[in-house]
């Protein structure tokens, strides 16, 4: 992974939305989520396990995600996270909020 | 399964073990970390590097554990037990679950709470003499301004439990890992502590005169402004322990010199602070 990791609050503030995006594509398990975020950001953003689980637990409490036991590769069962209908709405909302903020920020920064 | 990884994670979660949501988080995390560790090994990293990178990927887990524990508390339906101002002398509460129970101003003399889960309960201004709290879960409980004389707390779970301004004469605390427990403004000179680990425990303004704290472990503990005359720490382990006196109190500084630290082990910080207070550290090992 790259040396200059962007660890700013700016990115961390969007953790929920990043996770919802990944889950809107497919059901995924914990390690898969952090790995995909590192890959897709070309190693520029490393989501910490702690941050991810904090976000997942919150999304679960809000009814945006659910989980179920799936089959693991090495014997153990894996916990798969799945987006709910409400989660899809939250994701769409977050995206439109971001588009709006981006337009405003581009004029201000 | 990588033993060191397991140990590390267990260490972080230890104070919260037993909280269902937290145990689940621990299992989720361990399975992720194991996979990351295996992948790093496959990439040709040695054990040590792989372990270091894996642990680094966790981030600020303490905060997440806290959040998850709090979230659970707000989600789980709370059994609210209000037994305030009741006469419950010699009652049997062994093994009960009474989260956030209120026992304010109650008479609980000789009551049996052994093995009970009393998380978040409060026992203010009650008579709790000779009560039995052995093996009870007393996480986030408040025992303040009350009489706990001759009660026992052996093997109990004490996390963020508050004992302040209470009478603890004849009380025994045996085989306990205390985490962030407050034992402030309390006379502990007739209290027994045996085989305990004190992590983040606060003894500020308490009297510990003549107390035997031999062979126990103190991490991040505060003995600020405490009465420490003739306390013994023989063979004890002290890390990051603070002994701050009230300004200009000759009594506090004189008392420090009477503490016995023979065969104790301590980190450099604690050693330096005590040396500055002219404590007798001739038989101390610095770790």
């Amino acid at each position: 992974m790259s040396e200059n990791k962007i660890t700013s609050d700016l990115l961390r503030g969007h953790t929920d939305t990043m996770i919802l995006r990944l889950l809107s594509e497919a059901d995924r398990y914990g390690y898969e989520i952090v790995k995909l975020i590192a890959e897709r950001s070309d190693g520029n953003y490393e989501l910490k396990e702690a941050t991810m689980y904090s976000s997942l637990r919150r999304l679960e409490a809000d009814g945006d995600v659910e989980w179920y036991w799936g089959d693991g590769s090495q014997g153990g069962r894996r916990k798969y996270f799945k987006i709910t209908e409400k989660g899809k709405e939250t994701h769409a909302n977050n995206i439109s909020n971001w588009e709006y903020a981006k337009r405003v920020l581009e004029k201000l920064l | 399964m990588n033993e060191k990884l397991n140990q590390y994670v267990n260490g972080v979660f230890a104070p919260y073990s037993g909280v269902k949501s937290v145990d689940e988080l621990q299992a989720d995390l361990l399975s992720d970390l194991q996979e990351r560790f295996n992948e790093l090994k496959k990439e040709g990293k040695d054990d040590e590097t792989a372990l270091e990178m894996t642990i680094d990927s966790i981030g600020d887990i303490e905060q997440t554990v806290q959040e998850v524990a709090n979230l659970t508390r707000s989600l789980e339906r709370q059994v609210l037990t209000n037994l305030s101002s009741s006469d419950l002398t010699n009652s049997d509460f062994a093994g009960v679950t009474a989260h956030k129970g209120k026992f304010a101003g109650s008479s609980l003399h000789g009551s049996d709470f052994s093995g009970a889960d009393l998380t978040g309960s409060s026992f203010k201004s009650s008579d709790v003499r000779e009560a039995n709290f052995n093996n009870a879960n007393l996480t986030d409980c408040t025992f303040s301004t009350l009489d706990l004389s001759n009660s026992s707390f052996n093997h109990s779970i004490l996390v963020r439990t508050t004992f302040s301004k209470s009478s603890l004469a004849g009380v025994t605390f045996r085989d306990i890992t205390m985490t962030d427990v407050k034992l402030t403004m309390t006379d502990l000179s007739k209290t027994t502590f045996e085989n305990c680990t004190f992590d983040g425990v606060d003894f500020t303004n308490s009297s510990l005169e003549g107390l035997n704290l031999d062979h126990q472990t103190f991490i991040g503990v505060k003995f600020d402004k405490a009465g420490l005359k003739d306390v013994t720490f023989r063979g004890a382990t002290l890390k990051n322990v603070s002994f701050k006196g009230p300004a200009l109190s000759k009594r506090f500084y004189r008392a420090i010199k009477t503490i016995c630290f023979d065969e104790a082990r301590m980190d450099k910080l604690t050693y330096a602070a005590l040396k500055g207070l002219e404590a007798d550290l001739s038989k101390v090992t610095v770790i």
Side-chain angles (χ1 to χ4, degrees):
Chain A
M1 275 174 221
S2 91
E3 279 299 302
N4 61 338
K5 289 191 183 84
I6 306 168
T7 52
S8 74
D9 295 340
L10 207 58
L11 287 176
R12 206 167 26 239
H14 295 280
T15 307
D16 289 5
T17 318
M18 293 179 203
I19 291 177
L20 288 175
R21 153 74 187 267
L22 289 174
L23 296 182
S24 71
E25 301 164 358
D27 299 352
R28 304 187 189 279
Y29 62 95
Y31 181 57
E32 195 181 359
I33 295 175
V34 286
K35 213 163 71 167
L36 280 169
I37 286 184
E39 273 172 27
R40 292 198 188 172
S41 68
D42 299 318
N44 284 305
Y45 184 51
E46 189 194 346
L47 179 63
K48 297 285 185 189
E49 290 274 347
T51 317
M52 174 184 69
Y53 278 115
S54 159
S55 181
L56 277 171
R57 290 305 195 271
R58 201 168 43 236
L59 289 167
E60 195 187 328
D62 291 345
D64 289 326
V65 305
E66 299 169 341
W67 61 267
Y68 61 93
W69 288 114
D71 293 326
S73 57
Q74 290 126 4
R77 286 188 308 170
R78 254 184 199 144
K79 191 181 260 186
Y80 278 87
F81 294 92
K82 176 183 170 60
I83 194 166
T84 61
E85 283 307 313
K86 181 171 180 287
K88 286 177 192 160
E89 273 171 44
T90 307
H91 180 238
N93 267 337
N94 289 357
I95 293 285
S96 76
N97 285 345
W98 165 245
E99 294 292 348
Y100 175 75
K102 201 164 68 174
R103 276 200 307 277
V104 176
L105 285 171
E106 266 165 7
K107 291 192 178 118
L108 294 176
L109 299 183
Chain B
M1 181 59 77
N2 184 287
E3 207 36 54
K4 276 187 182 158
L5 195 55
N6 220 351
Q7 273 175 13
Y8 176 84
V9 174
N10 281 341
V12 174
F13 282 78
Y16 300 93
S17 76
V19 181
K20 190 164 164 276
S21 60
V22 174
D23 290 346
E24 283 171 11
L25 174 64
Q26 178 172 6
D28 293 354
L29 184 66
L30 254 184
S31 106
D32 286 358
L33 296 180
Q34 199 55 54
E35 191 165 342
R36 183 183 289 264
F37 182 82
N38 292 344
E39 277 191 13
L40 289 165
K41 288 282 291 178
K42 243 180 253 163
E43 287 169 18
K45 304 274 191 311
D46 60 72
D47 270 14
E48 203 181 324
T49 313
L51 183 67
E52 201 176 297
M53 290 176 75
T54 304
I55 287 175
D56 186 53
S57 76
I58 303 175
D60 187 4
I61 192 67
E62 282 86 356
Q63 201 195 331
T64 304
V65 174
Q66 276 282 8
E67 278 172 20
V68 168
N70 289 341
L71 204 58
T72 313
R73 255 172 243 143
S74 66
L75 285 175
E76 278 174 5
R77 196 172 66 85
Q78 297 293 347
V79 188
L80 210 63
T81 314
N82 196 338
L83 294 165
S84 296
S85 316
S86 328
D87 182 5
L88 302 161
T89 308
N90 292 320
S91 294
D92 179 11
F93 293 105
V96 302
T97 299
H99 287 182
K100 293 192 181 172
K102 298 227 184 304
F103 298 92
S106 311
S107 173
L108 293 159
H109 188 170
S111 290
D112 183 3
F113 289 97
S114 58
D117 180 357
L118 300 167
T119 303
S121 294
S122 82
F123 291 83
K124 276 179 194 162
S125 317
S126 294
D127 173 8
V128 200
R129 284 173 293 157
E130 293 169 19
N132 174 353
F133 289 98
N134 297 341
N135 299 302
N137 183 351
L138 302 171
T139 302
D140 290 317
C141 282
T142 308
F143 293 89
S144 60
T145 53
L146 49 75
D147 191 353
L148 282 166
S149 304
N150 301 316
S151 292
S152 60
F153 289 85
N154 305 331
H155 301 278
S156 59
I157 299 173
L158 299 180
V159 179
R160 295 183 301 272
T161 312
T162 301
F163 296 90
S164 68
K165 299 174 217 139
S166 295
S167 170
L168 290 166
V171 171
T172 53
F173 291 98
R174 203 167 284 136
D175 304 316
I176 304 175
T177 297
M178 297 193 192
T179 308
D180 297 334
V181 169
K182 275 202 168 71
L183 280 156
T184 54
M185 290 182 266
T186 297
D187 182 2
L188 299 168
S189 56
K190 295 191 180 69
T191 306
T192 308
F193 293 97
E194 270 177 34
N195 196 24
C196 290
T197 297
F198 301 84
D199 191 347
V201 174
D202 190 349
F203 288 102
T204 302
N205 283 315
S206 286
S207 168
L208 289 81
E209 224 159 276
L211 206 58
N212 172 342
L213 296 172
D214 298 351
H215 306 291
Q216 301 180 80
T217 304
F218 301 84
I219 302 160
V221 172
K222 275 191 211 163
F223 289 105
D224 301 349
K225 300 179 207 162
L228 294 165
K229 191 166 175 286
D230 300 322
V231 174
T232 65
F233 284 98
R234 275 184 212 94
T237 306
L238 294 92
K239 286 184 196 160
N240 221 343
V241 175
S242 136
F243 293 88
K244 286 192 196 108
L248 305 170
S249 164
K250 288 208 174 103
R251 196 164 162 257
F252 182 83
Y253 298 108
R254 268 203 308 273
I256 291 279
K257 293 182 190 126
T258 68
I259 303 177
C260 172
F261 286 108
D262 292 356
E263 320 297 333
R265 294 146 39 83
M266 55 181 76
D267 66 337
K268 288 180 184 166
L269 275 173
T270 309
Y271 185 87
L274 283 168
K275 204 170 165 59
L277 296 168
E278 297 174 27
D280 177 7
L281 302 176
S282 52
K283 291 176 189 154
V284 165
T285 311
V286 176
I287 46 176

